[in-house]
Structure formats: structure tokens, C-alpha cells
Amino acid sequence: LTLAGKQWYQRRVRGDNGGAGSFCFALFCFLCLLVGLIILYDAREQAIPQEGSVEHDVTLGRMFNTSDQVLARLRVQQEAGQDTETDIREHMTRLMLSKTKLMFFKTHKCGTSSLVSILYLYGIRRNLNFLLTPYQHQLFNDLPVQQLPRGETHDILCQHHRATYGLDFYRPDKIHPLLPREDTLYFTILRNPREQFFSNFIFFKHAETLQKKLRLPTTSLDTTISSYLKSLPSNIITCNNIINPMSFDLGFTAFRKTLETADRDFQIAYFIKYLETEFDYVMMTDRFDEGLVVLTKLLRWKTDDIAYIRKMSRSVGDDTDKGETDRDENQISETTWQLLEHHNVVDIRIYEHFSKKFDNLLINFYFDRGTKNQN
């Protein structure tokens, strides 16, 4: 178009009558561009089927592997109750013997930056291959991944999962072919939902966004959060980057659409069982160091491999993190916290479940219960 315009301008200045030809050429280029955009838009629409369509349900089913057989197996596991001591030991021993690759799913504001620095240093020291999108520091699950020399494979994924549109969450259908389950330790980390909510809310400046959206006359943190929570439907689970943000990262929003006919409790219970089958190990932010010690056992690391300096962490009185401090949490009333617990139910149940599982892991796997004095 630029070339055609230049030719047309030059001919017009020189008094040449060839301007009509240049104009037709420019028009032809414009039409080609328009057709290309239409084709690109149509391909994008086909990549993500419309909600409610059969194709959309099939896509979600493949994404999360929620076939009838899988759901039946999850139901049997749920009815069987908690894992026994023998089950835990056998599971962890099997992981120690079989896993050579790492897939760490990075949940937002859960102390993951410190853990990622450990994994990066471990991989760099051993010349391992990181799974990333070319020219990005993250993985975009709808774009091609960085190509490796022939004969080499990816060894570690430890960054946020992103998407250029609509699928900004963990997608096993994209990750499994790149990091096979039989060779890879799949693990993630969860944080106390109250602490995670507040840290996430402040870090991403959700208060400013909500005050503009709700047209609030006040800048009170408690009023902003309370007004937003009251605007949400009380009988439907809200799952976004503000409410149930850990579940949102893990894919609950898309996962529950495969179980739309089920009630809320059933959806949450099956999502928990899905996470159990998907992740070999779930760490807890409030027991971060204990989780690292277990990780050394699983991966047969040395203590030096888990040495770290805390990153992206706010301290009381420190106003360097987005202009807020930990003391702002005291501005939120107990009534607002109770309202938050009602809406944040998915994150709360997931955290409580895996917190108990982590405690059982520490007791039954790492510690020798016959010894009274433990280091």
C-alpha cells in the first residue's frame, strides 16, 4: 500500500496519467488484506468453539480428560476415603524412582517466585532445557513452543501459563505431550486463601479497577471489596482472577463446564479429585521450607539445591509493593471476610484438602514416627 501510494503521488506530481493504475493496485492490496483478516478471524473462532455447543463441550472434555471412565474412577477414589500410610509411602517411592523431568505450575501470589528461582538455578547448573514460548519468559499455551536441536527434549516448565486469548489457565492437553506424565513430576503450590486473596488483590491493583467499575464514591478498601462481593450472585460460583484466583489458575472455570448438570459441591469435589490425579505433589506456602525438604527427597537433590533468597515478598511497614502494606489487611472488617469466605469457597476447599494431605505426607513419609526427637 505504501509503495502504491508513493508511485501514485510521484506520477501525480509529474503529471503522469498512470495514477489510476496505482490506485487500482492499492485497492487490490487492501482487499487482499481484508480477506486475510477475515480468514484469520474465522480460524480463531474455529479454534475456540462457542460456549454451549457440542464442539465446545468436546474440546473441554479433551482438555481435562473428563470422560465417563475417568469420572467413574474418581468416584471410586472418593468413596475409598483418605490415603493410608502405605499408599502414601508407595506413591512417593514410585515418584522418586521414575521422575526425571519437572513441571511446576506457578499459581499467582503463592510464593512461587522463590521456588522458580530454585528451579531455574537447578536447570542452568545441569544444562537442562526449559519449556518456554520463543522470545517470552512465560509459556503461551496457544502458541508454538521453543524448538530444540534434534534428539533433545524439554526438561523443566516452571513459569506462568498464558494465552493470547481466552485460555489463560493450566491446560494438560497442551503440556502432557511435551512433558510426558510417566517421566515428569507434576507439582504446584497453594496458599492460605485469605492471605492469597489479599496479596493478589493489592498486587494487581484490583481496588482501583473495581472502584471505577462500581462507581464507588469512596476509596475505602473494605467498602470496595464488600461492594464487589455483594454484586456477585450468591448461588453461583464466581471464579476469576479476583475470586477463587488459585482455582482460576488451575482451570476450574473451564473444568466445571464439563459438569454443568452437577451441583456446586459435586463440581468442587470432582475438581479436587482431578487435581489429585493431575499433580503428583502439592506444596503449601505456609510450610514452604518443609515442602522443599520433601522435594529434595523426591528428586534426590542436595541441600544446596534448595538454598534461596525470598523474592517478591512484602514485609510489614514496607510500602514498596504497589504502594500498599500488610497492615492494610486490618482495614477489612470481619463481616467482609465472612462474605469473602462464602464466595471464595473453591479455593478454601482445595486448600483445606491439600493442606491435610500435605500434613499426612510429612507424618507418614518423611518422618520416622518411631523416633521421638526430630530435627
Side-chain angles (χ1 to χ4, degrees):
L1 288 174
T2 304
L3 178 62
K6 182 179 179 181
Q7 292 176 348
W8 175 80
Y9 176 77
Q10 290 176 345
R11 291 176 178 177
R12 185 174 183 181
V13 171
R14 294 196 304 264
D16 196 336
N17 294 327
S22 297
F23 176 78
C24 292
F25 177 71
L27 180 62
F28 172 75
C29 292
F30 175 76
L31 292 175
C32 289
L33 179 63
L34 182 62
V35 171
L37 290 175
I38 293 175
I39 294 174
L40 180 64
Y41 178 80
D42 183 64
R44 179 184 181 277
E45 291 296 311
Q46 293 179 5
I48 305 179
Q50 295 296 319
E51 293 188 12
S53 67
V54 175
E55 293 80 5
H56 182 266
D57 294 338
V58 171
T59 300
L60 291 174
R62 290 174 179 171
M63 186 183 302
F64 294 102
N65 193 23
T66 51
S67 63
D68 293 338
Q69 293 84 354
V70 172
L71 295 181
R73 186 174 74 251
L74 294 179
R75 186 186 296 275
V76 171
Q77 294 175 353
Q78 185 179 25
E79 294 173 353
Q82 294 184 348
D83 296 328
T84 64
E85 176 180 346
T86 303
D87 294 335
I88 293 175
R89 288 181 179 273
E90 290 180 352
H91 172 67
M92 303 306 283
T93 302
R94 185 171 62 254
L95 294 179
M96 292 172 60
L97 297 175
S98 62
K99 307 298 182 180
T100 58
K101 301 177 183 293
L102 298 175
M103 199 297 295
F104 172 64
F105 181 73
K106 193 174 188 291
T107 46
H108 285 90
K109 307 308 296 176
C110 291
T112 53
S113 295
S114 299
L115 183 51
V116 166
S117 66
I118 293 174
L119 298 176
Y120 267 131
L121 187 58
Y122 175 82
I124 292 172
R125 284 173 174 173
R126 290 158 179 79
N127 197 30
L128 302 180
N129 294 320
F130 291 87
L131 177 57
L132 291 170
T133 301
Y135 309 108
Q136 299 287 343
H137 69 286
Q138 299 172 337
L139 176 71
F140 284 77
N141 57 40
D142 55 351
L143 294 177
V145 300
Q146 185 171 348
Q147 297 300 310
L148 299 175
R150 181 174 297 181
E152 295 188 17
T153 59
H154 294 99
D155 301 302
I156 298 180
L157 170 59
C158 58
Q159 268 297 357
H160 284 303
H161 294 209
R162 288 287 182 267
T164 53
Y165 51 85
L167 298 173
D168 196 0
F169 52 80
Y170 174 63
R171 292 189 59 186
D173 62 321
K174 296 294 185 180
I175 306 303
H176 288 179
L178 300 170
L179 291 170
R181 292 288 285 113
E182 58 271 16
D183 302 326
T184 308
L185 178 70
Y186 277 64
F187 68 111
T188 187
I189 188 169
L190 300 176
R191 185 178 182 181
N192 181 294
R194 177 182 284 205
E195 297 176 359
Q196 196 274 344
F197 167 82
F198 186 79
S199 179
N200 181 75
F201 194 85
I202 297 301
F203 186 86
F204 291 106
K205 293 187 175 182
H206 290 312
E208 298 178 6
T209 303
L210 293 177
Q211 287 164 6
K212 294 178 181 179
K213 179 180 179 180
L214 301 176
R215 300 180 180 179
L216 299 177
T218 177
T219 58
S220 165
L221 197 61
D222 181 70
T223 302
T224 301
I225 297 176
S226 177
S227 300
Y228 173 65
L229 295 175
K230 291 178 181 178
S231 68
L232 301 176
S234 59
N235 59 339
I236 300 176
I237 297 177
T238 299
C239 188
N240 52 35
N241 60 347
I242 301 178
I243 303 300
N244 295 302
M246 291 187 291
S247 303
F248 178 76
D249 284 343
L250 292 166
F252 178 77
T253 303
F255 178 87
R256 67 175 175 178
K257 292 177 182 178
T258 66
L259 303 169
E260 287 184 338
T261 57
D263 59 30
R264 184 181 74 168
D265 292 338
F266 185 87
Q267 291 178 351
I268 297 175
Y270 267 58
F271 185 63
I272 290 175
K273 299 307 296 184
Y274 155 73
L275 294 178
E276 282 194 333
T277 61
E278 184 61 32
F279 292 97
D280 302 306
Y281 176 45
V282 179
M283 297 175 61
M284 296 288 128
T285 303
D286 53 359
R287 282 153 287 175
F288 188 74
D289 290 339
E290 294 92 323
L292 288 179
V293 173
V294 174
L295 197 61
T296 62
K297 297 293 182 180
L298 290 175
L299 301 174
R300 289 163 287 181
W301 285 4
K302 298 178 181 179
T303 306
D304 290 345
D305 291 326
I306 60 172
Y308 70 96
I309 298 175
R310 295 183 66 181
K311 298 181 63 178
M312 303 289 287
S313 175
R314 294 180 297 129
S315 59
V316 175
D318 180 12
D319 59 357
T320 59
D321 185 6
K322 302 285 184 176
E324 301 289 348
T325 73
D326 284 331
R327 287 176 292 186
D328 289 326
E329 189 171 348
N330 298 327
Q331 299 178 16
I332 303 177
S333 66
E334 191 59 33
T335 302
T336 301
W337 282 123
Q338 292 176 0
L339 186 59
L340 174 64
E341 290 177 357
H342 171 75
H343 288 284
N344 219 35
V345 60
V346 188
D347 273 10
I348 291 175
R349 292 192 188 178
I350 289 175
Y351 173 79
E352 290 177 347
H353 174 85
F354 284 102
S355 180
K356 293 178 181 178
K357 195 177 183 70
F358 185 81
D359 288 339
N360 292 334
L361 172 64
L362 292 180
I363 294 173
N364 295 317
F365 173 72
Y366 181 66
F367 292 108
D368 180 8
R369 294 190 296 174
T371 303
K372 292 183 179 181
N373 299 321
Q374 301 293 343
N375 294 326

